[in-house]
Amino acid sequence: MWPFSRSAKHEKSTASIFFTNTLTGSKETFASFKSGTATLYSCGPTVYSRAHIGNLRPYVMSDLIARTLSSAGYRLRRVINITDVGHLVSDADEGEDKMEKSARESGESASQIADRYTKLFLEDIRLLNLATEDILFPRATEYIKEQIALIEVLESKGLTYRIHDGIYFDTSKFPDYGKLGGMPKELIKEGDHASLADRISIVGKARIKENAEKRNQADFALWKFSPVGSRRQQEWQSPWGRGFPGWHIECSAMSKALLGETIDIHTGGMDHIAIHHNNEIAQSESVTQKPFVRYWMHNAFLTMAEEKVSKSLGNVVYLSDITGRGIHPLALRYLFLQTHYRKPVSFSWESLSAANEALTRLWKHAREVRKYAKGIAQPSETRDQVTALLRDDLGTPQALALLWETVKDESISPKTAWGVILAADNVLGLSLVEPPAAVLPSAIAVADLPEEIQELITERETARAARDFARADSLRSELTARGYSVEDSSSGPVVSRA
Ligand code: AMP
Ligand code: ZN
């Protein structure tokens, strides 16, 4: 395990919180619906394969939102759903289910695949120091009943219709359809997803195949029928026949079941604005007649050589590629934080390596400041400025710049500087409070180790936690015998080939 310490809480600042709301297109003061508690839903990964580093950016953004809110005293209720059914190869309800396709290609069951990639995702976000204690990770397949119930309500209101492959939502019956991101009605009507994607500056084009049976091209599937004469691995009985839920309905159902009818914040990548999130709004608001989400927040893409990082373009990098090169996973977090979440981040091994060097230097400064300050933090104007920058729509590049100025300025007392570091790291989550030991050059991410080695590591961690050092030593010998060496660092075990 590689748990990273969370920063100590610091004195509360009174600065207001501002977020850019995609719904209104402007920066707004944040106030939760229910005083003192904020609800936050983040569209989660589709677990048909491993999440690449672009897929991880939205969760670092939602972690920054959550840390900003909790440092301002909010209690949080959060959901990141796990999409393990229904997400088709095209976002426009065409093509094969990504989970079924992955199962067919690998010869494993859809649930084995979902388990494996969910575990790897959870490991990745832990390595990126996400605060996960307030998050629920529900799976779409666990909420089939709730999804069917929502579709039944939509049907009873006359908002659905049936065609040969499923039950569809009639978008012409939701007058506000397309309100998120201000989608032009004519593009929606024509189902011109490529132009819609262009409008919100998404790198790469959305693909869509026309479905002549749909009443409007923007209409989307709520329930899809299993193909006639064949069985899917994942299918359920429903009032409309055997099949599976459409991708969009899972988020409406899980968000309502776990967080309520109106939630404070909903996040995702900008590619979700045009279709997925407009569809979630149409479904949820048609059911409840209440606003679904008060603040919509979207991150821009991670790109590589000006192209979106995506599996279909074949330019993916995984977090394990980074740790495999001996680069600390938090270097990726640092790279993300150097750019505002609404602007694209350009990834290259050079930019990552520069981020790694900068973070290593920042850790060194933080260790020294802590030593000279004897761990005592003093409030200051700079500390409040850092907090205000972060509360101003997650101004991470500005906060990092001020943090660097502070640690380099010898006229600032160590206690004042330590106060600034604590306040910044509370939100930045870069482990500045307890910098980790450097990762060994040949370090292997725990998730990439064979399962039996992972089990031995976990067992050894449990023995160490119980102060059973004899057992821990014998497990280390067993690991060595199997060709792995393990070093203990302040951030957990670092494993490499012996
Ligand atoms: P998926 O697993 O495809 O459903 O995507 C998970 C999340 O990653 C969604 O919020 C997407 O919008 C987001 N996403 C996908 N590709 C990128 C990228 N290259 N950069 C940033 N976010 C991305
Ligand atoms: Zn969603």
Side-chain angles (χ1 to χ4, degrees), residues 120-315:
L120 285 169
F121 171 71
L122 296 176
E123 168 84 2
D124 281 352
I125 61 174
R126 201 162 52 84
L127 290 174
L128 288 173
N129 212 6
L130 264 69
T132 52
E133 56 265 42
D134 307 310
I135 311 180
L136 298 172
F137 294 95
R139 289 179 176 213
T141 51
E142 295 164 347
Y143 285 81
I144 299 296
K145 201 162 51 74
E146 287 78 359
Q147 295 179 68
I148 291 177
L150 283 194
I151 303 169
E152 284 182 308
V153 176
L154 295 173
E155 186 178 44
S156 71
K157 294 187 173 194
L159 305 176
T160 67
Y161 61 94
R162 183 184 190 111
I163 57 177
H164 83 279
D165 67 346
I167 304 296
Y168 281 69
F169 184 97
D170 185 343
T171 52
S172 68
K173 298 204 171 144
F174 184 71
D176 273 348
Y177 188 79
K179 68 180 168 183
L180 190 68
M183 296 299 146
K185 293 248 181 264
E186 55 302 345
L187 292 184
I188 290 173
K189 220 166 155 198
E190 291 157 16
D192 187 349
H193 290 207
S195 306
L196 290 170
D198 268 350
R199 256 187 74 80
I200 42 179
S201 325
I202 291 175
V203 190
K205 293 270 182 275
R207 281 157 295 137
I208 182 160
K209 215 170 87 198
E210 298 239 330
N211 178 338
E213 271 184 90
K214 286 204 273 188
R215 290 183 189 164
N216 316 283
Q217 277 312 311
D219 295 354
F220 55 90
L222 296 164
W223 187 262
K224 290 218 67 167
F225 305 135
S226 293
V228 181
S230 68
R231 291 202 81 99
R232 284 169 46 95
Q233 281 198 23
Q234 306 195 104
E235 55 179 23
W236 294 266
Q237 279 305 336
S238 79
W240 315 281
R242 206 159 39 82
F244 61 101
W247 170 41
H248 318 290
I249 195 76
E250 71 171 80
C251 290
S252 289
M254 290 189 273
S255 150
K256 179 166 174 285
L258 297 167
L259 299 177
E261 293 185 335
T262 297
I263 61 169
D264 288 311
I265 304 172
H266 191 126
T267 66
M270 285 185 178
D271 56 329
H272 283 349
I273 300 173
I275 307 174
H276 183 52
H277 287 164
N278 271 307
N279 292 356
E280 284 185 31
I281 293 174
Q283 296 162 155
S284 294
E285 299 193 351
S286 296
V287 168
T288 65
Q289 304 297 321
K290 291 180 186 155
F292 172 40
V293 171
R294 302 173 62 244
Y295 303 83
W296 283 95
M297 293 175 72
H298 294 93
N299 63 279
F301 273 159
L302 179 80
T303 61
M304 211 161 161
E306 312 220 331
E307 293 218 89
K308 165 189 169 187
V309 170
S310 87
K311 277 170 206 127
S312 52
L313 292 174
N315 59 353

